[in-house]
Amino acid sequence: MQIEVRTARADDEVALARIDRLTWTPDVSPAPPPAPGTPFFDDRVDPGAVIVAEADGVVAGYVAVGNSLPVPAHRHVREIRGLAVDPDYAGNGIGRALVTAAVDREARAGTVKVTLRVLGPNAAARRLYETCGFEVEGVLRGEFRVDGHLVDDVLMATFPAPRR
């Protein structure tokens, strides 16, 4: 299987929305599942903020990166806002390729720190992020109530070396 990563295009919207619907579970998001017909790109997410992975020419996953705080003193920090891989392509290194591509792109742009938030029960995602150089910076205990249970919000970060 050949995996290529690239910046998303507007015509990726249907494939990305489909992946969002396929991958949503209460272990990956405290928000409700996306309703059918919900657009992927909106005011918060535009194609330039998303990297997609194609497996043999088919959109198989994405990572979205953006600013977490809209203040000038925080411009050096970027946040991974979403990562998803089509279940039909899981286990092929696509998640790692996407996270690595996102961190590399941010390093080239001069980003000092890349952060993310992951739910405590999502052990597979936490392991993936750790293998990509992320470390736990803190845990917000019981931050969400999901299916009647309190769930921790794990804050992770990496400091990519500048690459130009």
Side-chain angles (χ1 to χ4, degrees):
M1 174 179 307
Q2 185 172 352
I3 300 168
E4 293 185 31
V5 294
R6 61 168 172 78
T7 301
R9 301 183 301 252
D11 63 352
D12 294 322
E13 177 146 24
V14 171
L16 296 175
R18 177 183 166 278
I19 291 169
D20 255 5
R21 286 190 309 278
L22 287 174
T23 58
W24 185 93
T25 72
D27 284 342
V28 301
S29 177
T38 301
F40 185 85
F41 297 120
D42 59 20
D43 293 343
R44 267 191 88 208
V45 179
D46 72 35
V50 177
I51 297 173
V52 300
E54 288 186 351
D56 296 331
V58 176
V59 174
Y62 75 86
V63 61
V65 181
N67 293 323
S68 59
L69 293 174
V71 294
H74 201 255
R75 284 190 188 132
H76 65 286
V77 179
R78 302 279 283 165
E79 177 182 42
I80 291 180
R81 294 181 165 179
L83 171 71
V85 175
D86 184 319
D88 288 341
Y89 295 93
N92 289 298
I94 292 171
R96 179 170 291 123
L98 286 164
V99 173
T100 299
V103 171
D104 286 349
R105 180 173 82 173
E106 291 306 320
R108 284 191 307 275
T111 297
V112 174
K113 180 179 182 181
V114 179
T115 65
L116 60 87
R117 300 170 76 156
V118 60
L119 295 181
N122 194 347
R126 291 172 63 183
R127 279 192 304 275
L128 169 65
Y129 295 132
E130 287 171 359
T131 65
C132 292
F134 284 78
E135 295 179 357
V136 173
E137 286 199 314
V139 177
L140 303 177
R141 289 183 163 62
E143 187 71 3
F144 300 106
R145 186 178 299 276
V146 178
D147 290 339
H149 304 295
L150 294 178
V151 175
D152 294 347
D153 190 13
V154 180
L155 311 178
M156 300 181 79
T158 189
F159 290 82
R163 297 180 187 118
R164 298 221 184 246

